[in-house]
Amino acid sequence: MNKLRFRSGQVQLRKLRVDANSQVAPGDLLWLDGNVARPASEFTWDTDLATTQSSFAAAFVGIAHQASGVGETLPISVDVGTQSVYEMDVSPAAYEFGQPLGPDENLSTLMSQQLETCLAQNAIARSAEFTAGTVATLRVTLASAFSTSSTNAQAVIG
């Protein structure tokens, strides 16, 4: 997919190192593994989707604004803000404004650029619009576990 579709709002870019074995594309949902960022697709599966989404939410840092190839370790720009709106791929459905969203999965692997509805405590994003029918793209706001203004239920300070 490799799509970064920023639509509006306040972006809060931070520079994060990427694991040398990871490949990151603009638009990837990233998590912090120690002190390096990795795409959602590299997150370890745990029991079922809800359990994995919950663990991912606790480590979710933001959305990649730059690419990083395998072997590269230079820092990339990542939006950790909660006020920016992105248009993201979603599991086809109708959505309500404010609906909690987590990373979708494919064969017990989290997808790096697609969301689906989830329990509020597992959410890393919320729908930023109501849809009158089934859609495959949706405007969303993100909820980094590393932002003090986040709606991420897993976010903690200290």
Side-chain angles (χ1 to χ4, degrees):
M1 310 259 187
N2 302 330
K3 297 181 250 179
L4 178 65
R5 297 173 292 200
F6 171 77
R7 295 299 179 233
S8 65
Q10 179 73 34
V11 174
Q12 293 180 354
L13 294 178
R14 302 294 183 260
K15 287 288 197 176
L16 297 175
R17 288 187 292 158
V18 176
D19 184 86
N21 296 315
S22 296
Q23 183 168 347
V24 174
D28 278 357
L29 301 168
L30 301 177
W31 61 287
L32 204 56
D33 182 16
N35 57 8
V36 294
R38 295 176 181 262
S41 60
E42 294 181 7
F43 196 78
T44 303
W45 188 261
D46 183 11
T47 312
D48 57 27
L49 180 58
T51 304
T52 305
Q53 285 175 332
S54 177
S55 298
F56 182 80
F60 175 65
V61 68
I63 189 168
H65 269 241
Q66 289 178 288
S68 180
V70 173
E72 295 178 18
T73 58
L74 293 175
I76 63 168
S77 293
V78 176
D79 184 4
V80 301
T82 59
Q83 300 299 313
S84 44
V85 176
Y86 292 90
E87 185 175 271
M88 296 200 66
D89 292 337
V90 291
S91 183
Y95 291 88
E96 293 290 334
F97 174 78
Q99 191 162 359
L101 304 165
D104 203 349
E105 61 93 15
N106 183 20
L107 304 173
S108 299
T109 300
L110 293 180
M111 298 173 77
S112 294
Q113 294 197 9
Q114 184 166 313
L115 299 169
E116 71 171 8
T117 60
C118 70
L119 300 171
Q121 64 265 27
N122 300 341
I124 61 161
R126 290 202 180 264
S127 172
E129 64 182 331
F130 161 79
T131 65
T134 300
V135 297
T137 60
L138 183 70
R139 290 180 186 236
V140 304
T141 57
L142 299 173
S144 172
F146 296 88
S147 173
T148 56
S149 62
S150 178
T151 59
N152 185 325
Q154 305 292 332
V156 294
I157 298 176

